[in-house]
Amino acid sequence: MSVIEPTVTQKFHDTFAKNNKHNALQRGVVKNGITASAQNQSAEVNNVPVFSVDITTGKVANQKQSGRCWMFAALNTFRHKMINSFNLKDFELSQNYTFFWDKYEKSNYFYENIIATADQELDSRKVAFLLATPQQDGGQWDMIVSLFQKYGVVPKTAMPESSNSSNSRDLNNYLNKKLRKDATVLRELIASGKTAADVQTAKEAMLEEIYNFLAISLGTPPETFDFEYRDEEKNYHLDQNLTPHSFYEKYVGVNLDDYVSIINAPTADKPYNQTYTVEMLGNVVGGKEVKYINVDMTTFKKLAIAQLEQGESVWFGCDVGQSSTRDSGIMSLDAYDMNDLFDIDFTMTKAQRLDFGESLMTHAMVLTGVDMIDGASTKWKVENSWGEKVGDKGFFVMSDAWMDEYTYQIVVRKELLSPELQEIWKQEPTVLAPWDPMGALA
């Protein structure tokens, strides 16, 4: 290794001091901060929130201080359908209900992975990966499908938000403490030669404690409930003694098996037109397998456009923190001009960002519109779940170039795929490592 010699640093200091441009930039950045100094107003001018295809969605929701964007986005796609089908106003499905069952199932998923890896040393990469974050708020599309299929959905009135669903930090902290402690017990039981039945009995006792912890923190999920509302014309409706499954079938009615996850990951280890899954990625044991088909970006966008043009919004995952403005809600490659500000080239390809840990999917939202000019997409309307105080009443504008670089996943109806892609979808997926960037939770 080569040390930094003081003479080298002194040379850098002297050169900087003589550069009037650097001194001027220093004054502005020190006073105003990096992003404020680099913000580019032309990004707003070039991304006016007007779209040739624009789906009616109602008001945006607010996930508050929690990482539930993936379930908010999925429930929002259902809400859009219900608003139009039943003439609802300001309606939401219960995110707290889904949150409860996700935590419950993720705990069991963690236990089963701890049992499955009990023959490995604690410092093995897989065990270390499990223990680093036993569970968290984030998830993937197929994981939310597993929850919907097993537990159904309920309106927000049947299980409203709780303090701990709106701000999940304490809940996650203590749930992970318990899961790590339970991991020590399960590994010790297996190491001491206990039977598989004994281990499962111990795990069931742990799950009961998890259920109690979640019920105390989030409330008890309803088994039956009444759905009472007034529509936009003020007409009164009452539907009694519903279950979460009967409500889903009657009011949502979406066959989730008709939808597939499409990704764009242009890395050498993931050739296009092949299917993939990720080891140890899931929440419901015995639930839907996480599965993707990797396609080029042209195909990716064509599929999203086709679904929007048919009046249906699109769940998607992206790296929202890259080159986007929270207040004005602009997602554009020129939102900030960091290269000119620092005279440093920060440019990397999409593949390089994935391979070198610079980017991955961090957030899920919903595409609710697209602007088509001369047959090509130019910008996209995005429904976020951060409330109405950001963007245009909670809606963001994503430039087409930003989608190319930082959008990684969409969910579309299988029938929109070409016959060739539909055949490819039937293939057994290649299994990626648990820490692959395509296993990131939104």
Side-chain angles (χ1 to χ4, degrees):
M1 293 186 179
S2 177
V3 302
I4 299 177
E5 297 293 343
T7 54
V8 173
T9 305
Q10 186 63 48
K11 181 180 71 173
F12 297 160
H13 173 273
D14 294 343
T15 302
F16 184 92
K18 296 174 183 177
N19 189 311
N20 290 334
K21 176 184 175 182
H22 285 168
N23 288 318
L25 288 170
Q26 181 187 64
R27 291 190 293 271
V29 175
V30 167
K31 174 68 175 178
N32 301 305
I34 292 174
T35 55
S37 300
Q39 192 162 347
N40 189 351
Q41 189 177 20
S42 65
E44 294 187 37
V45 174
N46 296 329
N47 291 281
V48 177
V50 179
F51 307 89
S52 59
V53 178
D54 196 343
I55 296 172
T56 300
T57 59
K59 292 183 178 180
V60 299
N62 192 344
Q63 69 188 73
K64 299 185 179 178
Q65 282 72 52
S66 72
R68 298 173 291 164
C69 59
W70 59 297
M71 59 179 65
F72 267 74
L75 291 168
N76 284 342
T77 63
F78 295 164
R79 178 171 58 89
H80 302 159
K81 180 178 181 298
M82 291 181 65
I83 285 173
N84 292 317
S85 297
F86 300 98
N87 202 21
L88 301 173
K89 180 180 180 181
D90 299 337
F91 172 78
E92 288 186 49
L93 293 161
S94 174
Q95 303 92 359
N96 190 25
Y97 176 81
T98 308
F99 194 54
F100 181 102
W101 292 121
D102 181 56
K103 295 298 185 188
Y104 182 67
E105 290 286 350
K106 277 178 177 170
S107 298
N108 184 58
Y109 197 85
F110 172 78
Y111 290 146
E112 289 297 324
N113 275 307
I114 287 296
I115 293 168
T117 57
D119 61 335
Q120 299 182 30
E121 297 295 328
L122 282 172
D123 60 357
S124 77
R125 190 168 184 185
K126 287 184 180 179
V127 176
F129 174 82
L130 289 169
L131 295 175
T133 311
Q135 63 77 44
Q136 57 177 290
D137 287 356
Q140 287 263 357
W141 170 260
D142 288 321
M143 293 164 64
I144 199 72
V145 169
S146 293
L147 294 173
F148 293 153
Q149 290 179 334
K150 187 169 183 177
Y151 296 104
V153 298
V154 304
K156 197 167 187 175
T157 51
M159 189 170 178
E161 280 292 279
S162 66
S163 174
N164 294 299
S165 60
S166 295
N167 187 339
S168 60
R169 182 177 60 182
D170 283 350
L171 184 145
N172 283 321
N173 180 27
Y174 287 99
L175 182 52
N176 283 334
K177 282 179 185 289
K178 172 170 172 50
L179 292 174
R180 291 190 182 101
K181 179 186 176 181
D182 290 346
T184 70
V185 176
L186 291 172
R187 285 178 63 94
E188 287 169 0
L189 288 172
I190 295 169
S192 67
K194 295 294 185 182
T195 66
D198 290 336
V199 173
Q200 285 297 320
T201 297
K203 189 200 80 169
E204 186 174 327
M206 295 170 181
L207 276 174
E208 183 175 8
E209 292 180 330
I210 293 289
Y211 183 94
N212 294 341
F213 172 84
L214 293 172
I216 291 169
S217 302
L218 301 173
T220 304
E223 295 180 339
T224 61
F225 58 91
D226 297 337
F227 183 36
E228 188 176 22
Y229 67 96
R230 287 190 182 275
D231 62 25
E232 285 272 29
E233 276 70 49
K234 307 299 182 182
N235 298 312
Y236 175 77
H237 301 266
L238 174 63
D239 200 347
Q240 295 178 297
N241 202 34
L242 292 162
T243 69
H245 280 107
S246 67
F247 177 84
Y248 181 90
E249 291 167 5
K250 182 172 183 178
Y251 289 96
V252 180
V254 175
N255 184 354
L256 293 166
D257 291 329
D258 290 341
Y259 291 78
V260 294
S261 287
I262 310 297
I263 60 170
N264 174 252
T267 51
D269 64 329
K270 300 180 189 70
Y272 288 144
N273 300 328
Q274 293 188 25
T275 60
Y276 300 90
T277 189
V278 181
E279 185 181 2
M280 298 197 305
L281 178 62
N283 54 352
V284 178
V285 175
K288 187 175 177 64
E289 177 188 48
V290 172
K291 184 178 179 181
Y292 321 112
I293 184 168
N294 193 20
V295 302
D296 63 82
M297 202 63 203
T298 299
T299 303
F300 186 96
K301 290 192 288 190
K302 282 182 178 178
L303 290 168
I305 292 167
Q307 188 153 300
L308 288 169
E309 288 182 335
Q310 292 182 13
E312 185 174 356
S313 54
V314 178
W315 187 102
F316 80 104
C318 66
D319 189 358
V320 71
Q322 300 273 8
S323 197
S324 65
T325 64
R326 185 183 181 96
D327 292 342
S328 56
I330 301 296
M331 305 157 73
S332 178
L333 300 185
D334 61 350
Y336 303 100
D337 197 340
M338 295 296 178
N339 288 2
D340 281 353
L341 181 66
F342 291 106
D343 197 19
I344 294 174
D345 185 3
F346 291 98
T347 306
M348 298 173 74
T349 66
K350 191 173 189 178
Q352 288 172 336
R353 288 191 293 270
L354 287 170
D355 282 338
F356 286 83
E358 171 54 26
S359 183
L360 43 66
M361 189 170 73
T362 61
H363 191 51
M365 297 179 284
V366 184
L367 297 173
T368 62
V370 61
D371 202 25
M372 303 292 294
I373 297 178
D374 297 328
S377 54
T378 60
K379 59 182 184 288
W380 304 74
K381 185 178 181 181
V382 174
E383 180 185 25
N384 206 340
S385 54
W386 292 347
E388 294 186 297
K389 293 183 179 180
V390 296
D392 181 13
K393 296 182 179 178
F395 289 88
F396 281 39
V397 180
M398 175 172 62
S399 75
D400 199 64
W402 195 97
M403 172 177 260
D404 291 342
E405 296 297 325
Y406 295 114
T407 299
Y408 295 109
Q409 183 178 358
I410 56 172
V411 174
V412 297
R413 295 196 314 282
K414 192 186 305 181
E415 66 185 36
L416 297 175
L417 273 60
S418 67
E420 292 78 14
L421 288 178
Q422 290 189 37
E423 285 301 311
I424 290 169
W425 179 256
K426 299 175 184 177
Q427 297 174 358
E428 283 297 310
T430 299
V431 180
L432 304 174
W435 39 86
D436 189 275
M438 288 299 105
L441 301 183

